[in-house]
Amino acid sequence: HTRMGDGAIRKLALGEEQFSVQPPEPTLLKLYMPLTADFYGRDEWGDMPEEPELLSGRELIRYEDNIRSALVKYRMPEEVTRGIMNWYNKPDSVNNKVRSVTFGAELRGGQLWGVAECQLWHELSAAELTTLKEFIAGQASDGWGEGFEQREIAVGRGSELYVHLWQDHDWSIQTEQERFCPHLDKLPEMCFTL
């Protein structure tokens, strides 16, 4: 109760000013990997070649929308909340700190990159980041990515694209700073994505 100036008493209802503890907003960590694709283009007679043409990230820019759309369509119902972290079966700090990981594609530096978009509850230590990178690399090469690269993406005029999140040569998975600003201790504004 509180006493008002005229002698009246005002009651404060319990629970009127409730404070609830909300979990922290997750932060976004992007891990970049080179993309390539096998392209099967029909010739003027409508025939498909036996051997595909290998396209680099630079050549994949024109198919960005097709690839992004295919990456979203390939997600399984079990992955709605946590993405590929649904398949991370270790009860460790990485599992506790990483809310979700989903594969996408992003145009940077004149080429299309594969990107693992990681929603984090808490910042990762160097060892935890290494563990997460290894898990994502495994999913890109043998798990999720292996299934994805076997699904054709229609790109017009009967042509098809088969996108690889992983390759057995010249492949790495890196943070934004490692990939685009490797020689800088502090990340300048130009390196941030909006």
Side-chain angles (χ1 to χ4, degrees):
H1 296 358
T2 58
R3 190 165 292 277
M4 309 280 286
D6 61 357
I9 296 177
R10 182 177 64 174
K11 283 187 171 178
L12 288 176
L14 288 176
E16 214 170 71
E17 296 183 30
Q18 289 185 348
F19 296 96
S20 58
V21 177
Q22 297 292 330
E25 282 295 312
T27 57
L28 179 63
L29 167 70
K30 292 182 178 182
L31 298 173
Y32 293 86
M33 60 203 89
L35 275 186
T36 60
D38 292 329
F39 176 74
Y40 290 88
R42 295 196 183 271
D43 62 21
E44 61 267 25
W45 299 282
D47 295 328
M48 192 82 76
E50 286 187 30
E51 291 298 315
E53 178 184 352
L54 185 65
L55 301 183
S56 69
R58 293 196 187 286
E59 297 161 312
L60 290 175
I61 292 172
R62 70 181 122 169
Y63 304 114
E64 179 181 2
D65 291 341
N66 306 78
I67 294 169
R68 282 180 187 228
S69 178
L71 285 163
V72 171
K73 284 180 189 170
Y74 187 65
R75 294 177 187 159
M76 301 174 123
E78 303 95 305
E79 298 170 356
V80 168
T81 305
R82 299 201 70 206
I84 64 169
M85 284 303 288
N86 183 66
W87 314 115
Y88 188 90
N89 297 319
K90 298 176 193 158
D92 62 8
S93 59
V94 172
N95 202 3
N96 294 333
K97 289 183 177 183
V98 180
R99 178 181 181 263
S100 66
V101 176
T102 54
F103 285 115
E106 186 175 311
L107 182 59
R108 289 290 296 267
Q111 74 181 72
L112 194 63
W113 295 89
V115 60
E117 295 184 357
C118 311
Q119 294 282 337
L120 305 179
W121 291 123
H122 302 284
E123 190 174 335
L124 300 175
S125 69
E128 290 166 338
L129 179 58
T130 297
T131 298
L132 180 62
K133 284 180 176 180
E134 288 171 355
F135 169 70
I136 293 169
Q139 285 293 321
S141 63
D142 297 325
W144 202 94
E146 184 179 20
F148 180 71
E149 72 181 6
Q150 295 174 27
R151 301 188 63 116
E152 76 275 354
I153 301 171
V155 291
R157 297 189 342 192
S159 298
E160 297 173 352
L161 204 58
Y162 295 84
V163 175
H164 309 290
L165 293 170
W166 183 85
Q167 302 89 48
D168 58 4
H169 63 282
D170 295 330
W171 189 89
S172 62
I173 183 167
Q174 296 179 311
T175 64
E176 187 170 23
Q177 183 172 357
E178 291 166 339
R179 177 71 65 195
F180 301 109
C181 304
H183 305 296
L184 301 174
D185 292 335
K186 297 229 177 213
L187 198 61
E189 283 185 33
M190 66 176 217
C191 290
F192 285 109
T193 54
L194 298 177

